Amino acid sequence: MERYKGRRLQGMFAAVMAMAFFLFQLGIAEAGVSTLYPGAGNRPPKTPEWNVEKGKEEKNVSAKAAEQNGGAAKGVKKLDKKNVPMTMLSVMLGEGLASASVSGISDFEVVDGNAGKVLESCGANKSLNITVDGSYIAINGKKTKSRIVTVQAKNGADGVMKYNGSSYRGSLRLTSDGVRLQVLNQLSLEDYVKGVLPSEMSPGWHGEALKAQAVAARTFALYNRSKGGHKAVGYDLCGSSHCQVYSGMAAETAATNSAVDATRGQVMYYEHQVIYAAFHSSSGGATENSEDVWGVYQPYLRSVTDDDSKSPYHNWTAKFTVVQVEKQLASAGKGVGTLKSISLSPISSSGSVTGRTASGRAYGVKFTGSSGTVTITGEQARTIFGLKSAMFNVRTERSVKLPAAENSKKTAAASKGSQGTFSEAPAAMNGSAMKINGSETIVFDGHGFGHGLGLAQYGAKAMADKGSKYDDILHHYYTDVVIQEIY
Ligand SMILES: [Zn+2]
């Protein structure tokens, strides 16, 4: 595994950060912000139903894991057996519907969901209107004796169906609950990942990065299905970001499809369990330990460093008035009245700063005001203030009247009105709080985008661009996992 050695690199990382921060201050390093790719970074972290007891296990289990996984967990474990059937999934496309329009791009048929009796046989592209009549399903207004029907290619062959004008691989299953319709897409895990991948990563990225994301998306789907969150309502996965954004064939591209085909059936395991393949947009330079984000230790979600320098989110800044900070704290139930001070340990090169995680994310930010003190975690700050990540420093900026002598050195704008912006040094707040008097702008300067767990997409892209293969990328971000072909 391509893992970096601790402190020295951490020091270098901090130095790079400091430089980037300095450049940012000068306004030189502000990278153009491009399209957002995340399902990941943008998505609020999901708290998986992990066994909390696991968190109490001894943390240094890497050697043990590698041993149980059959030695050095590198490469991809191929399947000995051939012709193992593909895993099938049911994905919800619509619920509570009065009607649904269905069709097929080749000859297709509507069969009774239970008996398999053919109810309707149609030529390509003939559109059928499905409604509920009594508790049964009606096809073009004609009542059937079925509560469940399947729309599939003729004789159950592989096909592409249409639902409300959009194309889906596999078949459609429509169920009447007596009043409304539910429409599911039944398809192979492979076809599902093809419909997911382009929403998670730009199809223009390096093929090895796309392959890594394909394995992560496939693993993520199986983990979600195994948790059975939607089982009670009759399907495996929903099509929204709750599971993964699934858009059917419309989303597919040649590049993402070939990444899926090239990694067919490959899923990540840790000690024979499908892993929670968390991923995010941009690490800021180091990913995070699971317990520092979700409070639960997970042996395969460890902090690792990566090259995040080309990410458009490598440096970001977010500015608030004091009143905005007061209001946002209050609306999150963390109000402190009139804000008096903020405390946060700065990102430091020492590598052992109180109040910072292994990767440099904030453990806690303390706000003190007229009615008390609250401490929120870095993750809470991310939510409350809508920050891109929990890897940030805080400082204040205030408008100042510049002394005449200094005017000539300042910008034209500053000299005109004798006004300039004075930035307080990044709050050195180990013990000493940064005082707030109300007129300042509170500035968060941060790095990265997302919760920071597992694969970082911009880091994966950087690795791929420099020649790493997808399995090396996955083994870098997911500690001691086995990539196993399941069919
Ligand atoms: Zn879901």
Side-chain angles (χ1 to χ4, degrees), residues 123 126 145 216 234 243 307 338 365 374 456:
K126 181 177 159 76
K145 286 180 180 156
C243 288
D307 177 6
T338 305
V365 194
V374 299

Side-chain angles (χ1 to χ4, degrees), residues 9 18 43 59 101 105 110 124 168 206 212 232 247 264-265 276 316 319 332 348 371 420 422 435 453 470 476 482 485:
L9 252 287
R43 187 188 296 165
K59 300 201 173 186
S101 154
I105 66 161
V110 183
Y168 298 92
H206 197 289
S247 315
R264 183 182 184 275
Y276 185 82
W316 52 260
K319 299 187 178 190
S348 156
S371 62
F422 178 75
K435 297 263 184 298
L453 295 180
Y470 76 97
H476 177 68
V482 171
E485 211 174 64

Side-chain angles (χ1 to χ4, degrees), residues 230 237-240 242-244:
H230 296 299
L237 303 169
C238 68
S240 77
H242 173 265
C243 288
Q244 288 182 92

Side-chain angles (χ1 to χ4, degrees), residues 322-343:
V322 173
V323 171
Q324 282 173 326
V325 169
E326 288 165 353
K327 277 190 178 162
Q328 276 166 256
L329 284 172
S331 63
K334 305 279 183 188
V336 294
T338 305
L339 187 61
K340 302 285 185 198
S341 70
I342 305 175
S343 304

Side-chain angles (χ1 to χ4, degrees), residues 238-297:
C238 68
S240 77
S241 65
H242 173 265
C243 288
Q244 288 182 92
V245 175
Y246 169 68
S247 315
M249 261 186 92
E252 293 181 15
T253 70
T256 48
N257 281 1
S258 59
V260 176
D261 289 337
T263 59
R264 183 182 184 275
Q266 295 176 14
V267 174
M268 290 183 282
Y269 288 82
Y270 184 87
E271 291 182 344
H272 311 291
Q273 304 264 0
V274 174
I275 71 162
Y276 185 82
F279 57 92
H280 63 285
S281 173
S282 166
S283 73
T287 69
E288 193 51 275
N289 290 325
S290 62
E291 63 273 23
D292 287 333
V293 178
W294 285 326
V296 181
Y297 172 77

Side-chain angles (χ1 to χ4, degrees), residues 48-81:
E49 300 150 43
W50 289 335
N51 181 354
V52 176
E53 287 303 307
K54 278 220 156 194
K56 294 173 187 162
E57 280 180 12
E58 204 182 315
K59 300 201 173 186
N60 189 16
V61 294
S62 295
K64 186 182 101 191
E67 183 191 305
Q68 293 195 2
N69 283 331
K74 276 228 157 201
V76 178
K77 269 174 107 176
K78 298 282 180 185
L79 195 65
D80 307 333
K81 281 185 270 179

